Structure formats: structure tokens, C-alpha cells
């Protein structure tokens, strides 16, 4: 049987696609005009070159400003192909690749809420490319969009014939490149355990988590085999040095630790931050688990992502590319005023308006400056509050009711 799409649909899709291509092209031109450095991309390339040369990965200081290696050793192995390209070629491919990844992220976000209209992907991508986390990701040549796509793709997969044998692989690899996505593995394990304690079948979540752990372990052991010294140094020393990536109070740090450091005017918020982060982690994970078991995977995934960003010692503004699924979930679930407000925040570039740079001026912020430099964290906390309010209005499911979410 041949299905003919309505003429209105045939017209809407090309218009949306054309608008998206124009927006992405304008974005690329604006980035070129701004002479973006893609400095992190150059660091990745330097890490790959260090691996090929057999150098000390964590003694590396790349670019003119001497940036260090911060990711696990497996990431450096992934970066080695970057050394095969000249810098100019690398910049072009990184920009093009990130723009494609943005479109994929939008598509996965819409799929998470069951929205299948193709033109919506193009319209949202056309707007989302201008939000500050996306702009900064491409400005620095970062890998945030890639990691978000890996995680969201993994958690969006469905298998009509039962658990997919590859479930968790992309999530595990993302965590092996950068540790923050590992909280999703904790979420899967905890969901499976809670489901079993309630008399349901927690197997789908536990199998998913097992796949992620296997992939993470395999990638990490590969790095140990190839880079034994660097692996030993990272897992016994560097992983605990949260200050190696920058000052806690930097305005771009939108984690709770950064917000608290600026509020208390100290570069070491210490025990108070640890307590606040622990409470947020427990509350955020519980909300994610509850949403998952009630069949609301979209809220569960974003709640887990937001929790990871909030409790991490450092969550730079470009890590918040999760704002795309956050806004999509809010909009599609009826919280449209909040969705517009959050979209406005992430497109406001408000973090750039406050004093920052040398001299650590963030330690002396007050009033409006403190509010502007806490915008992303505030949006994340607001999402968790809304998730709690929404879940509080719904009744608990029967044991095992959430199983259909991962095994439908």
C-alpha cells in the first residue's frame, strides 16, 4: 500500500529544513567571524599526539595557556585519530560534526517524549544552535554533544523481542571518556533494585546497567593495557584532584559547587558543598527512579542528567547541552511557560554579563551578579522541583508496571 503524505506536510518539512540550514550556516559564519579558538579540540589533538609519542599524558600542558589533560586515559586513545588531520581540517570537521550531532540530539529528545513530526526537529535545531551551551561547545571544540547523544541514544532504544544485547554499550563508552555519565549507570542499577524490592521485575534495568559496566570496564582495561602508567596515575591520583580543571568559583562553573563558592566568596566551599551535593544526588536520583518506574522515562532521563550536572564538582556552561532535552520535555508535557523561561535563560548568555577572568573577580560578586551566575543551576533545580511536584500528583504503579518502559 502506498501512503501519500498530506500536501501540508510536504510543504512544511522543506520549509523547516531550509530554515534550519540557513540558521546553521549563519551560526557557522558567526563563529568564523568571532575567530573561535576551538582550544579544547587542540588539547584533544595534543593528547592523541602524546599517546602516539609515548609521552606522559598527565604532565601535558597544551596550547599557549597550558591546559592540562582532564579526562580518563581511554579518551586520549579515542583522540589519537585527530593527529592525522591538520588543524584547519580538524576545525571544519569538528564544526560540521557537532552541528549534525545537535540535530541528532533534538531528534532523540523529541523521540523521548513521543513526538514524531520531522519538521519539529529542524525548527528546534535552528533555534537551539544559538543557545549558549551549544555556542560554547562549538567555540571550544568540545565533545559534550557527542556524549549527550551517546547517552540519550542508549536510553532511547527499544527492543520488541526483549532486552537488546547491546543495551548499555554507548552509555558505558561515554562514561569511559568522561566520568559524569556514570551517574546514569547508578540510576539504572538503583531502578532495578527498587523495582525488585517492590515485587516487580528489575531485570531490564539491571541488564542495561550490566551492559554499561561491561563496556566501561572493557574500555578502561584497554587503556590500562596501552597506557599502564597514565591509567595508574589517573585512577590513583588525578581523578581526585577536582581543582586541576580550574577555580571552583569560575562563573562558567554552573554546578552547585560553583554557585556555592561564589555565594560564600571562597574558592573552597568544602563540607557544606559535599553535604548539599549528597542531598541533591539522593533527591535527584529518587525522582529519576520514581519517574522511570511510573513510565515517564523522559522526566527520568533529564532528571538524572540535571542531577549529574548539579553534583559534579565542575559543570562548565557548555556541559549544559542537556538544556535541549530539558526544554523539549517541559514544553511537550505542558509546562510551556517554564519551558520558554528556561530557553530564554540558556539563550541569554547571562553568564557572560558578569565580571570574570584574571584576578578571580567571581569571589567578589554580589546581588544581581550572583543571580546571573547561577542561572543554569537554578533551571536545573527548578526542573527537579517540577518533577517532584508532577510525580507527587500521580499514584504509585503496581509492581513491575515500569517494566514496559525498557522492554516494550
Amino acid at each position: 500500500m502506498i501512503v501519500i503524505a498530506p500536501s501540508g506536510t510536504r510543504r512544511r518539512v522543506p520549509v523547516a529544513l531550509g530554515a534550519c540550514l540557513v540558521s546553521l550556516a549563519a551560526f557557522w559564519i558567526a563563529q568564523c567571524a568571532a575567530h573561535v579558538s576551538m582550544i579544547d579540540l587542540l588539547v584533544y589533538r595534543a593528547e592523541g599526539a602524546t599517546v602516539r609519542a609515548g609521552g606522559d599524558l598527565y604532565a601535558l600542558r597544551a596550547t599557549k595557556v597550558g591546559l592540562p589533560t582532564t579526562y580518563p586515559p581511554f579518551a586520549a586513545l579515542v583522540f589519537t585519530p585527530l593527529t592525522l588531520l591538520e588543524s584547519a581540517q580538524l576545525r571544519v570537521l569538528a564544526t560540521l560534526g557537532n552541528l549534525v550531532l545537535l540535530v541528532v540530539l533534538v531528534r532523540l529528545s523529541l523521540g523521548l517524549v513521543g513526538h514524531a513530526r520531522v519538521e519539529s526537529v529542524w525548527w528546534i535545531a535552528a533555534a537551539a544552535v544559538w543557545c549558549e551551551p551549544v555556542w560554547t561547545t562549538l567555540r571550544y571544540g568540545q565533545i559534550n554533544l557527542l556524549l549527550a547523544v551517546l547517552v540519550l541514544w542508549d536510553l532511547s532504544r527499544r527492543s520488541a523481542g526483549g532486552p537488546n544485547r547491546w543495551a548499555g554499550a554507548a552509555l558505558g563508552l561515554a562514561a569511559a571518556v568522561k566520568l559524569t555519565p556514570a551517574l546514569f549507570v547508578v540510576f539504572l542499577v538503583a531502578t532495578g533494585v527498587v523495582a525488585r524490592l517492590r515485587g516487580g521485575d528489575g531485570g531490564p534495568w539491571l541488564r542495561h546497567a550490566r551492559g554499561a559496566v561491561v563496556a566501561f570496564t572493557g574500555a578502561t582495561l584497554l587503556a590500562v593495557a596501552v597506557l599502564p602508567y597514565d591509567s595508574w596515575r589517573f585512577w590513583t591520583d588525578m581523578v581526585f584532584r577536582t581543582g586541576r580543571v580550574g577555580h571552583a568559583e569560575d562563573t562558567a562553573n554552573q554546578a552547585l559547587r560553583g554557585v556555592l563558592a561564589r555565594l560564600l566568596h571562597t574558592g573552597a566551599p568544602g563540607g557544606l558543598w559535599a553535604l548539599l551535593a549528597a542531598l541533591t544526588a539522593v533527591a535527584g536520583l529518587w525522582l529519576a527512579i520514581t519517574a522511570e518506574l511510573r513510565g515517564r522515562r523522559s522526566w527520568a532521563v533529564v532528571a538524572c542528567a540535571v542531577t549529574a550536572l548539579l553534583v559534579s564538582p565542575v559543570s562548565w556552561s557548555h556541559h549544559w547541552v542537556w538544556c535541549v532535552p530539558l526544554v523539549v520535555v517541559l514544553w511537550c508535557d505542558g509546562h510551556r511557560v517554564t519551558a520558554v523561561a528556561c530557553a530564554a535563560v540558556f539563550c541569554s548568555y547571562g553568564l557572560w554579563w558578569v565580571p570574570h577572568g584574571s584576578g578571580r573577580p567571581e569571589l567578589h560578586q554580589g546581588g544581581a551578579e550572583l543571580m546571573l551566575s547561577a542561572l543554569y543551576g537554578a533551571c536545573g533545580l527548578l526542573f527537579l522541583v517540577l518533577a517532584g511536584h508532577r510525580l507527587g500528583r500521580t499514584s504509585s504503579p503496581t509492581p513491575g508496571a515500569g517494566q514496559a518502559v525498557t522492554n516494550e
Side-chain angles (χ1 to χ4, degrees), residues 108-164:
L108 290 171
S109 301
L110 289 170
L112 200 62
V113 296
H115 189 96
R117 289 175 60 178
V118 177
E119 63 269 23
S120 297
V121 176
W122 302 119
W123 284 119
I124 294 173
V129 73
W130 295 99
C131 72
E132 192 273 341
V134 174
W135 171 278
T136 310
T137 289
L138 274 84
R139 173 190 180 188
Y140 294 144
Q142 265 282 344
I143 58 172
N144 307 300
L145 288 168
L146 173 61
L147 296 177
V149 164
L150 285 174
V151 171
L152 200 51
W153 177 79
D154 197 309
L155 295 173
S156 300
R157 302 188 71 189
R158 298 290 187 267
S159 177
N164 191 295

Side-chain angles (χ1 to χ4, degrees), residues 44-50 52 79-86 90:
Y44 300 155
R45 188 171 185 268
E47 290 179 25
T50 301
R52 295 186 63 184
F79 296 149
T80 52
L82 301 182
T83 61
L84 303 177
L85 298 172
E86 299 294 334
L90 197 56

Side-chain angles (χ1 to χ4, degrees), residues 27 110 114 161 186 199 263 366-367 383 397:
F27 175 90
L110 289 170
V186 178
L263 183 64
F383 183 89

Side-chain angles (χ1 to χ4, degrees), residues 256 260 271-281 311:
L256 291 174
L260 196 60
L272 181 58
W273 163 72
L275 176 62
L276 185 60
L279 293 174
T280 303
V311 305

